[in-house]
């Protein structure tokens, strides 16, 4: 089944719809979201499954993805968090950012990303096609480690660099 992303201008206004893989190969700017889950001074990270089409095996935030055409950002964030990590919880929109990066596999991420945050203390049940490991990590430890390690996704490093987390 083909998936589609919402193409946007520099101000996050919809300008069209594009097939997901083609949009990534061409580096077309599109709308995305990331979910950051906290538990006190800890952050939930997942290691992206080796089956992922880009950034496989890298550590990333709890969930991320793209809203479907005609799907709201909050609904999309809740959907992907449940699909990826088996988690349902309240989320709050907190920030928007933009980044563009070659993420391997001839894929270019050119995303305007909306960040949703939640506090969570319940069970985690990741889909192995999405995440092959996960854990709660001290925010300060990640903040220190992310500067020198190559095991994190580009976007997670960018969120820390911009002090969004």
């Amino acid at each position: 089944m083909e998936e589609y992303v919402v193409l946007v201008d520099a101000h996050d206004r919809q300008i069209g719809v594009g097939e997901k893989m083609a949009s990534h190969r061409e580096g077309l700017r599109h709308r995305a979201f990331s979910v950051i889950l906290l538990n006190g001074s800890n952050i939930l990270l997942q290691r992206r499954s080796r089956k992922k089409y880009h950034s496989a095996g890298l550590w990333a935030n709890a969930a991320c993805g793209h809203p479907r055409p005609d799907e709201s950002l909050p609904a999309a964030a809740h959907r992907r968090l449940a699909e990826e990590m088996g988690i349902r919880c309240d989320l709050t929109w907190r920030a928007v950012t933009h980044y563009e990066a070659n993420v391997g596999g001839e894929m270019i991420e050119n995303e305007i990303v909306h960040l949703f945050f939640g506090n969570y203390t319940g069970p985690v049940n990741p889909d192995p096609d999405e995440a092959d490991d996960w854990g709660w990590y001290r925010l300060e430890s990640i903040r220190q480690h992310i500067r020198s390690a190559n095991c994190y996704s580009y976007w997670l490093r960018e969120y820390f660099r911009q002090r969004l987390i």
Side-chain angles (χ1 to χ4, degrees):
M1 181 174 91
E2 285 188 329
E3 293 183 54
Y4 292 87
V5 295
V6 177
L7 304 177
V8 295
D9 66 13
H11 302 287
D12 196 30
R13 293 182 295 237
Q14 183 171 344
I15 58 171
V17 172
E19 193 277 323
K20 179 178 161 181
M21 298 304 281
S23 297
H24 283 96
R25 281 191 296 275
E26 296 172 35
L28 302 178
R29 185 185 302 118
H30 56 278
R31 188 172 292 146
F33 60 85
S34 279
V35 177
I36 312 298
L37 290 186
L38 303 171
N39 180 343
S41 60
N42 297 315
I43 184 171
L44 178 66
L45 297 183
Q46 63 152 288
R47 187 172 60 204
R48 291 170 59 83
S49 168
R50 304 251 180 232
K51 300 174 186 176
K52 299 296 273 186
Y53 67 98
H54 73 74
S55 306
L58 296 179
W59 288 91
N61 46 288
C64 58
H66 310 93
R68 296 173 176 149
D70 300 320
E71 180 181 36
S72 73
L73 279 159
H78 282 97
R79 171 179 54 82
R80 285 303 291 157
L81 182 59
E83 290 171 354
E84 291 186 41
M85 303 303 285
I87 293 173
R88 297 186 192 287
C89 70
D90 291 336
L91 299 174
T92 303
W93 181 94
R94 192 176 295 169
V96 64
T97 188
H98 172 258
Y99 74 89
E100 186 171 355
N102 181 329
V103 292
E106 299 181 11
M107 298 285 163
I108 299 168
E109 289 278 35
N110 184 359
E111 298 186 334
I112 293 187
V113 185
H114 294 258
L115 275 70
F116 290 85
F117 284 71
N119 293 304
Y120 186 71
T121 59
V124 179
N125 185 24
D127 177 341
D129 288 336
E130 298 291 342
D132 60 24
D133 198 3
W134 66 276
W136 289 101
Y137 298 92
R138 297 200 43 79
L139 267 170
E140 280 311 309
S141 296
I142 299 301
R143 197 177 315 281
Q144 299 295 324
H145 192 242
I146 208 164
R147 294 183 189 135
S148 61
N150 292 325
C151 60
Y152 299 99
S153 68
Y154 180 88
W155 57 91
L156 185 65
R157 291 185 319 221
E158 187 66 12
Y159 303 157
F160 274 93
R161 186 189 70 75
Q162 292 182 32
R163 299 182 186 271
L164 297 171
I165 300 175

